[in-house]
């Protein structure tokens, strides 16, 4: 599984490295959805593409970013205020009598205040953050698709909801952000060979168990290079007309160093020469597409422990 990844966010880099142009109308639509639904998550790194808008499309997206950010600031300011009142109440009770309930209230309120203040600092700050480029399941991230002979950058959710599925599938099958290679012609048969995409990644993260504890490992290709991750996407629509573009990364058996670190899957890192063939799958036989997945880049994946 690819639990999380540091994904290329710069639209200028997509244009320079992959000749991919942004679909501003689609991207604006996702930012607009986020204003109405705070569960729509977009990396801070992608927002930075619109720090200095140069055209009307970018200016509209910038306004949507500001609108969302101000709503979030208001939300967390209110949360911090409410928790400070909760903390003060707990401290007054403790001055009268030491109780487990009051001590627990003090602990919870303190943690929530710290969390709200950290989020406020990030929302109000302008400095780059190590998490700016990182996506998780159910986060939107940039992918490249091929349309009318051109490479296009769109924002898609990292967890594929297949066309025709109920929205509840997201909860029923929480692992649909990855597509196992050995299941491509079964569960993923409607996407494999039809709706292919590319995710450009600098590094990725995996959860492993060590000595009964969950440990997050950060895998970095050596020598350092862009990982061109084979993906598939789905365009979902409900009867009311709501739409969702979402995608999954293809995973396969890992190289020896990833397996030795404790993980049994790895995302498929395409050869640069195979990207165009992968993005134009229609009319290609399945065995050719499988060969593309086999002819992958094979850097050494160094790892370090990020959290335990």
């Amino acid at each position: 599984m690819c639990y999380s990844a540091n994904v290329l966010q710069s639209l200028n880099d997509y244009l320079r490295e992959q000749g991919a142009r942004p679909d501003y109308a689609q991207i604006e639509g996702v930012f607009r959805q986020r204003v109405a639904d705070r569960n729509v998550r977009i990396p801070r790194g992608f927002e930075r593409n619109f720090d200095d808008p140069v055209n009307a499309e970018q200016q509209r997206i910038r306004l949507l970013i500001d609108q969302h950010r101000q709503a979030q600031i208001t939300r967390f300011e209110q949360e911090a205020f409410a928790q400070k009142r909760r903390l003060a109440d707990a401290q007054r009770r403790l001055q009268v009598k030491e109780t487990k309930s009051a001590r627990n209230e003090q602990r919870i309120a303190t943690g929530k205040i710290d969390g709200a203040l950290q989020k406020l600092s990030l929302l109000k700050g302008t400095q780059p953050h190590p998490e700016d480029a990182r996506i998780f399941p159910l986060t939107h991230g940039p992918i490249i698709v091929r349309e009318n002979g051109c490479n296009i950058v769109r924002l898609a959710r990292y967890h594929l909801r297949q066309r025709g599925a109920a929205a509840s599938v997201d909860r029923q099958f929480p692992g649909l952000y990855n597509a196992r290679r050995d299941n491509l012609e079964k569960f993923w048969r409607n996407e494999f060979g039809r709706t292919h995409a590319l995710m450009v990644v600098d590094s990725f993260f995996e959860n492993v168990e060590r000595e009964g504890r969950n440990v997050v490992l950060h895998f970095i290709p050596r020598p350092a290079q862009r990982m061109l991750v084979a993906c598939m996407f789905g365009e979902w629509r409900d009867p009311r007309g709501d739409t969702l573009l979402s995608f999954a990364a293809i995973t396969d058996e890992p190289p020896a160093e990833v397996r030795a670190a404790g993980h049994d899957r790895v995302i498929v890192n395409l050869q640069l020469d195979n990207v165009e063939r992968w993005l134009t799958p229609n009319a290609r036989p399945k065995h050719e597409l499988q060969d593309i997945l086999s002819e992958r880049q094979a850097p050494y994946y160094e790892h370090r422990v990020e959290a335990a």
Side-chain angles (χ1 to χ4, degrees):
M1 307 290 278
C2 181
Y3 155 69
S4 176
N6 282 326
V7 178
L8 178 65
Q9 303 290 344
S10 167
L11 291 174
N12 288 334
D13 285 350
Y14 278 103
L15 180 60
R16 183 175 64 253
E17 297 177 17
Q18 301 293 332
R21 298 184 179 278
D23 182 346
Y24 282 121
Q26 189 271 342
I27 291 169
E28 180 181 345
V30 176
F31 276 102
R32 194 173 300 281
Q33 287 177 346
R34 187 178 65 165
V35 171
D37 181 2
R38 71 186 188 200
N39 290 319
V40 176
R41 293 177 288 174
I42 302 170
R44 182 70 173 268
F46 194 78
E47 291 181 344
R48 292 190 183 280
N49 288 295
F50 309 100
D51 283 350
D52 299 299
V54 297
N55 57 40
E57 296 165 314
Q58 293 184 9
Q59 288 171 350
R60 289 196 301 270
I61 294 171
R62 175 75 247 178
L63 289 173
L64 292 169
I65 292 170
D66 291 342
Q67 186 177 349
H68 168 77
R69 192 168 295 173
Q70 186 54 56
Q72 291 292 90
I73 288 172
T74 299
R75 174 189 166 205
F76 288 116
E77 285 178 340
Q78 291 173 344
E79 170 72 5
F81 179 76
Q83 294 302 323
K84 286 177 181 178
R85 291 184 59 182
R86 182 180 184 180
L87 176 60
D89 289 342
Q91 290 173 335
R92 281 193 294 269
R93 288 164 57 193
L94 286 169
Q95 289 176 351
V96 175
K97 182 181 180 181
E98 179 78 21
T99 66
K100 182 178 179 180
S101 173
R103 187 63 67 187
N104 194 45
E105 284 288 290
Q106 179 180 251
R107 178 185 58 80
I108 294 172
T110 300
K112 288 183 176 292
I113 291 168
D114 290 344
L117 292 179
Q118 288 176 10
K119 289 182 171 65
L120 283 168
S121 176
L122 186 61
L123 286 164
K124 294 178 179 180
T126 59
Q127 294 300 313
H129 188 276
E131 298 288 298
D132 281 352
R134 192 170 173 184
I135 69 165
F136 295 86
L138 301 177
T139 301
H140 279 71
I143 59 171
I144 298 174
V145 299
R146 188 82 166 176
E147 189 172 279
N148 298 323
C150 298
N151 286 349
I152 306 294
V153 180
R154 293 192 171 121
L155 271 181
R157 193 191 68 176
Y158 184 42
H159 188 279
L160 202 161
R161 184 189 298 169
Q162 294 171 309
R163 180 176 293 187
S168 60
V169 74
D170 296 344
R171 297 187 301 274
Q172 293 172 329
F173 300 99
L176 295 182
Y177 52 90
N178 283 169
R180 289 178 62 100
R181 185 181 174 186
D182 55 15
N183 212 12
L184 293 180
E185 297 183 51
K186 300 172 188 175
F187 184 86
W188 301 102
R189 63 188 179 278
N190 292 326
E191 291 78 27
F192 182 55
R194 293 181 176 88
T195 54
H196 289 190
L198 187 75
M199 176 172 63
V200 184
V201 168
D202 290 319
S203 61
F204 62 97
F205 303 79
E206 300 289 4
N207 286 310
V208 302
E209 185 175 319
R210 290 185 176 177
E211 300 178 351
R213 294 186 304 160
N214 182 71
V215 175
V216 178
L217 301 183
H218 186 186
F219 289 92
I220 306 163
R222 296 295 185 217
Q225 57 187 266
R226 303 280 198 213
M227 296 177 63
L228 307 174
V229 179
C231 300
M232 300 179 299
F233 71 89
E235 295 180 287
W236 179 90
R237 184 184 300 272
D238 74 3
R240 298 173 301 178
D242 293 334
T243 60
L244 173 68
L245 181 66
S246 58
F247 74 103
I250 295 176
T251 66
D252 200 0
E253 296 296 318
E257 69 273 14
V258 174
R259 188 178 296 279
H263 202 65
D264 63 352
R265 307 294 297 171
V266 73
I267 43 182
V268 175
N269 183 5
L270 298 177
Q271 294 280 357
L272 179 60
D273 291 345
N274 283 334
V275 166
E276 183 173 352
R277 286 200 295 155
W278 177 254
L279 292 177
T280 55
N282 293 328
R284 297 189 189 278
K286 294 295 195 298
H287 69 81
E288 179 182 348
L289 299 175
Q290 292 285 5
D291 287 345
I292 291 171
L293 297 176
S294 295
E295 298 165 6
R296 68 192 72 173
Q297 296 187 68
Y300 181 85
Y301 292 109
E302 176 184 293
H303 78 274
R304 59 173 179 253
V305 176
E306 286 290 312

